Amino acid sequence: MSPMFGDRHLVVVDLGFGDAGKGATVDWLCSPEADLGVAAVVRFNGGGQAAHNVVADGRHHTFAQFGSGTLAGVPTLLSRHMLVEPIALAAESEQLAALGVPDPLGLLAVDGRALLTTPIHIAANRAREDARGTSRHGSCGRGIGETAWYALENDAPTVADCRAPDVLRAKLDRLAAHYEDLIGPSAHGYESVDALVAMYRDFARAVRITGPAELARLAQAGRLVFEGAQGVLLDEWRGLHPHTTWSTVEPRNARAMIRDIGATAAVLGVTRTYMTRHGAGPLPTEAPLGFPEPHNGTGHYQGAFRQGHLDPILLRYAIDVCGGIDGLVVNHLDVPGTLCAAVAYETSTGRTTEVVPGRWRDLDHQQRLTDQLFDATPILAPIETDPAAWLAERLRVPVVLTGHGPDRRDRATDSGKRAAEVGEQGRIGAHVP
Amino acid sequence: MGYGNWDDTAYRAGKTYRARQGVDDFGYTAEMRAKPYDTWCAHPLLDPFGVGKRECRDSAEHGNSLPVAVLFDVTGSMGRVPRIMQDKLGKLHGLLKNKGYAQDPQVLFGAIGDADTDRVPLQVGQFESDNRMDEQLRAILLEGGGGGQKSESYELAAYFMAEHVATDAWDKRGKKGYLFLIGDELNKPRLAARHIRAVIGDHVRRDVSVESIYRELEQRWHVYYILPNQSSYYRDPEIAEHWTALLGQNFLKLDDPGAVCELIALTIGLGEDRIDLDTGLADLRDVGSSDEADAVGRALGSKPGPTLRALPPGR
């Protein structure tokens, strides 16, 4: 695997709507088994709403803000593109400590320029979703959208402000005033600004707050793995509007950061052998497949967890809006039975086999794609061969890693598979379906 | 996507963060932790091998440079103290300047381990007078090793400071600098030639007595040893006797490691005759460091006058 990537940094994105197995992928890339010399995991989008499951050495954790390399002992950098939520971060560090990770906060560096998601944003988020009633967007209720949206027009609190209580207090007061009409009459509230300021000061004293030079410093120590959150089909500009997230999910920000330090990247796209989606929005191949889903239930704000047949048309679109990718990671190869894939869509205007990207930031185009997909009925065909190989051929991207279960030891590279086939003790313990 | 902790409060989060205060993990340690132990090495900024001289020079705007060196023990017996040092020492330069305790201080930081057992037994930075000091502190590897035989390689650090440092203060003005060793154990029985060869790179063939290296060091440095509380041997009379025999009243005990900057600053202020002890302690209380003032007062024996008095050993 190493020869394939050379000294490139790795960017891991989900080609669907999230939940495809980025966490397990990042954990494996950081693991001793992979031997890729990873110095740090960098979060480059989203915030505390991520839920990346890692199972390794008998331990399970759902990573939200810490990078999924934590169980492998790899430090995390929350970059300036990340929305940081310190209250949840503290709880997550306690969970990790309980799992036996020594001093989890010591593995963390946070860019001072990152926006802060506060209980005020979260209360506003929930009040707004409640007011929407049945026309919910599929929000997680974690304040992500409010954080990004408020910062567009206002001087929003940042991580660096946590070190300057007076500055922070003034910003929080303005934030609270801004949302008074929305939150006041709602069922939601938040603690006093004084309590928040005191807590944020403690946060700033306990974690390492860094500046622009941090990324280059980490890169000198080894390979970086950029861990995306959510999925490309939820991207704020490229996703299926309006059922999107307030975050740039496709890898442009990660690519730019890597360019800035004069390095190169390999982008890995992660998918399952079928589609999944949380909450509202198009899912053309939706079907009651009934595959078990131990870590994803129904969220109060984001709605039900849905499944659908493999959709290479949507995956191809995701790859296109990523500006191409360098490798595929295919997970959930352990699901039983014959899989089906969409070969085309029937729509009211005829048959189509592609979803065409528009110009970047053309939300009218994105809305048309959403309408097109709501109107699409998939034409399905069974996959008669190994789904990973089938996907590699259909999407014209090599498969670099496959997942055959939730655990770290369930990951296999091609070389690992070959080792298993020729009867060697493959280090990865691949069991080929 | 999924989210569990709906009842988290600012208070609970604050408690988590407070439990870790002063434990700012400087990235280099975290970086090394992510690698196999047998590949651990000193940060290039701090690697003492083959460096020639660390220099403390005058400049156009700072014509009266005063060398200040602080080397702290980073072995396991020190407990959380090295973290506290890393967190607090960044204030030292500002404290010296703001109080007028020293005119043009230049500060060097370093770390001491065990040359018999550690991967990185000595780290020594450069003399700096700006925020690059923070960078040095961050680059110190907190190895947390040590050999468990109640001795660390302080004498190796002493050798480096005696042989590999050049200062304008001495060369131009015949003025001594200030060196603070912070630790809780004994010197090795002898300064081992093989340690010098392996860690510093000098071609030394014969072991040297510990006593003689400190005598040489004291020709150009005021040498202090600070034994901080929260370390393993704070109350061990053997440690106090050992260092008192070597350094006399320059052996200091500090009951609050968080006050290390104040103790060092005040010690320098006293040594430079810029201040008397009571005024210095009052200074500290003025800036809201009353707990630190109490700790420093106890360490220096709160009695007016320019002379220092250490606590009697073992108290």
Side-chain angles (χ1 to χ4, degrees):
Chain A
M1 185 148 176
S2 276
M4 177 180 257
F5 299 131
D7 58 359
R8 287 184 291 176
H9 302 301
L10 301 175
V11 183
V12 178
V13 293
D14 182 315
L15 297 175
F17 299 100
D19 304 305
K22 291 181 297 294
T25 304
V26 169
D27 168 73
W28 190 86
L29 293 170
C30 292
S31 70
E33 291 89 329
D35 193 26
L36 290 168
V38 177
V41 169
V42 183
R43 282 286 304 272
F44 64 91
N45 75 312
Q49 88 284 40
H52 298 173
N53 286 289
V54 173
V55 181
D57 310 325
R59 299 185 289 179
H60 167 242
H61 180 74
T62 304
F63 284 96
Q65 293 184 86
F66 278 86
S68 297
T70 304
L71 293 185
V74 173
T76 301
L77 172 64
L78 304 182
S79 76
R80 68 189 164 95
H81 300 292
M82 169 92 178
L83 311 177
V84 177
E85 207 285 69
I87 297 178
L89 190 68
E92 188 175 5
S93 83
E94 295 286 356
Q95 289 169 2
L96 288 163
L99 281 179
V101 175
D103 189 22
L105 290 169
L107 288 171
L108 201 63
V110 188
D111 193 307
R113 295 166 295 177
L115 289 172
L116 209 54
T117 295
T118 70
I120 304 171
H121 296 105
I122 293 169
N125 177 186
R126 293 175 187 178
R128 204 184 297 276
E129 278 299 286
D130 288 354
R132 282 196 182 113
T134 53
S135 60
R136 285 185 179 165
H137 284 196
S139 159
C140 296
R142 302 299 315 156
I144 301 299
E146 300 297 340
T147 307
W149 176 77
Y150 180 83
L152 292 177
E153 301 285 332
N154 301 278
D155 188 9
T158 65
V159 167
D161 294 335
C162 296
R163 291 192 292 210
D166 293 348
V167 174
L168 183 64
R169 184 184 312 273
K171 286 191 180 184
L172 291 177
D173 284 341
R174 282 200 299 276
L175 179 68
H178 178 92
Y179 278 124
E180 202 169 356
D181 294 346
L182 176 64
I183 297 173
S186 80
H188 303 282
Y190 49 86
E191 292 161 279
S192 74
V193 167
D194 282 355
L196 296 178
V197 169
M199 181 273 299
Y200 288 132
R201 196 182 52 231
D202 289 332
F203 160 72
R205 286 175 180 164
V207 303
R208 196 158 60 85
I209 297 175
T210 61
E214 183 66 11
L215 196 67
R217 206 179 65 77
L218 287 169
Q220 282 180 334
R223 194 189 304 269
L224 304 175
V225 172
F226 290 74
E227 178 176 5
Q230 298 111 347
V232 171
L233 297 176
L234 298 169
D235 182 272
E236 59 186 328
W237 302 113
R238 295 297 199 172
L240 303 173
H241 186 76
H243 306 282
T244 56
T245 182
W246 279 77
S247 150
T248 297
V249 180
E250 47 92 357
R252 76 174 53 227
N253 286 336
R255 287 187 198 269
M257 283 193 279
I258 294 166
R259 241 192 339 268
D260 287 347
I261 59 171
T264 54
V267 176
L268 308 183
V270 186
T271 179
R272 297 188 184 195
T273 53
Y274 54 99
M275 308 303 283
T276 66
R277 170 150 213 168
H278 256 117
L283 183 61
T285 56
E286 185 161 15
L289 299 178
F291 293 136
E293 191 60 35
H295 301 309
N296 283 293
T298 296
H300 178 69
Y301 286 93
Q302 55 183 155
F305 187 78
R306 303 152 62 194
Q307 297 180 337
H309 297 288
L310 190 60
D311 192 340
I313 301 171
L314 276 184
L315 294 176
R316 185 69 244 170
Y317 169 82
I319 292 170
D320 290 344
V321 300
C322 285
I325 63 173
D326 303 283
L328 272 176
V329 177
V330 184
N331 287 323
H332 292 262
L333 281 159
D334 51 321
V335 295
T338 304
L339 297 161
C340 293
V343 291
Y345 300 142
E346 284 291 2
T347 70
S348 49
T349 54
R351 182 173 291 200
T352 178
T353 56
E354 57 179 349
V355 176
V356 183
R359 289 192 327 276
W360 187 46
R361 296 192 169 180
D362 178 355
L363 290 183
D364 293 340
H365 180 85
Q366 299 311 116
Q367 179 69 58
R368 283 194 295 277
L369 294 187
T370 301
D371 298 342
Q372 176 197 339
L373 289 166
F374 271 135
D375 176 43
T377 307
I379 299 164
L380 297 168
I383 299 172
E384 305 290 4
T385 56
D386 168 36
W390 187 91
L391 268 172
E393 188 175 349
R394 175 70 176 71
L395 300 173
R396 301 182 300 283
V397 179
V399 171
V400 296
L401 184 68
T402 51
H404 308 263
D407 202 300
R408 184 188 294 172
R409 60 171 185 270
D410 300 324
R411 313 284 116 199
T413 59
D414 271 358
S415 58
K417 274 196 201 175
R418 277 198 299 275
E421 280 164 7
V422 298
E424 292 175 26
Q425 279 297 308
R427 277 181 314 168
I428 307 156
H431 44 98
V432 184
Chain B
M1 310 201 116
Y3 199 79
N5 307 285
W6 297 96
D7 345 325
D8 291 320
T9 62
Y11 174 75
R12 266 186 52 189
K15 205 167 145 199
T16 298
Y17 290 127
R18 280 192 301 279
R20 201 184 176 275
Q21 249 158 49
V23 189
D24 188 357
D25 193 338
F26 291 71
Y28 188 68
T29 298
E31 240 171 73
M32 282 293 121
R33 272 204 211 151
K35 297 183 171 184
Y37 177 67
D38 60 357
T39 66
W40 286 19
C41 57
H43 193 284
L45 284 173
L46 293 145
D47 191 346
F49 191 87
V51 296
K53 298 276 188 202
R54 297 290 200 224
E55 299 179 342
C56 179
R57 299 300 184 195
D58 297 342
S59 63
E61 63 271 29
H62 300 293
N64 192 17
S65 60
L66 180 72
V68 176
V70 182
L71 287 86
F72 55 94
D73 180 338
V74 292
T75 58
S77 69
M78 291 285 281
R80 287 173 43 117
V81 172
R83 301 254 189 193
I84 299 171
M85 297 298 115
Q86 255 186 339
D87 187 48
K88 297 280 184 184
L89 282 168
K91 293 192 311 192
L92 177 59
H93 191 265
L95 204 57
L96 288 166
K97 285 290 284 185
N98 300 342
K99 293 290 166 199
Y101 295 164
Q103 194 182 331
D104 298 323
Q106 292 190 20
V107 184
L108 167 149
F109 291 118
I112 299 166
D114 184 331
D116 286 322
T117 57
D118 287 354
R119 290 278 317 165
V120 185
L122 181 63
Q123 302 168 71
V124 189
Q126 313 272 359
F127 287 95
E128 303 283 7
S129 53
D130 57 22
N131 56 12
R132 274 175 303 199
M133 279 182 299
D134 271 347
E135 201 184 332
Q136 310 238 355
L137 281 170
R138 282 178 34 149
I140 287 178
L141 173 66
L142 304 181
E143 185 169 353
Q149 69 282 65
K150 212 162 109 174
S151 64
E152 307 298 355
S153 302
Y154 307 112
E155 74 295 331
L156 188 65
Y159 169 88
F160 183 93
M161 296 303 295
E163 302 292 335
H164 288 275
V165 176
T167 73
D168 276 350
W170 181 257
D171 296 345
K172 292 182 180 176
R173 297 181 286 279
K175 186 170 173 47
K176 292 186 182 184
Y178 290 84
L179 167 62
F180 294 86
L181 301 172
I182 303 169
D184 71 332
E185 299 191 48
L186 312 172
N187 287 284
K188 296 280 170 193
R190 298 184 63 72
L191 170 59
R194 64 188 169 84
H195 290 167
I196 297 174
R197 291 196 302 269
V199 178
I200 298 172
D202 291 358
H203 294 290
V204 174
R205 308 281 297 264
R206 297 177 55 184
D207 291 357
V208 181
S209 85
V210 169
E211 176 76 16
S212 69
I213 194 65
Y214 281 95
R215 291 297 79 83
E216 187 184 341
L217 188 62
E218 283 178 321
Q219 288 171 17
R220 286 185 289 139
W221 295 89
H222 301 288
V223 185
Y224 294 86
Y225 189 89
I226 300 174
L227 171 62
N229 201 355
Q230 297 183 28
S231 58
S232 300
Y233 299 108
Y234 186 62
R235 301 188 196 294
D236 184 330
E238 191 188 0
I239 306 295
E241 284 158 23
H242 173 88
W243 286 103
T244 306
L246 270 179
L247 305 176
Q249 61 179 16
N250 287 5
F251 167 71
L252 308 171
K253 287 182 79 169
L254 178 62
D255 57 10
D256 174 9
V260 66
C261 269
E262 289 76 6
L263 176 59
I264 291 173
L266 205 47
T267 302
I268 293 170
L270 293 165
E272 294 293 283
D273 274 340
R274 298 280 179 124
I275 190 147
D276 64 59
L277 183 52
D278 287 348
T279 316
L281 295 177
D283 272 359
L284 290 185
R285 292 198 172 90
D286 283 349
V287 295
S289 305
S290 57
D291 292 352
E292 286 88 347
D294 293 344
V296 171
R298 281 191 295 276
L300 295 176
S302 188
K303 185 181 132 195
T307 52
L308 296 179
R309 193 168 61 79
L311 287 180
R315 190 159 96 199

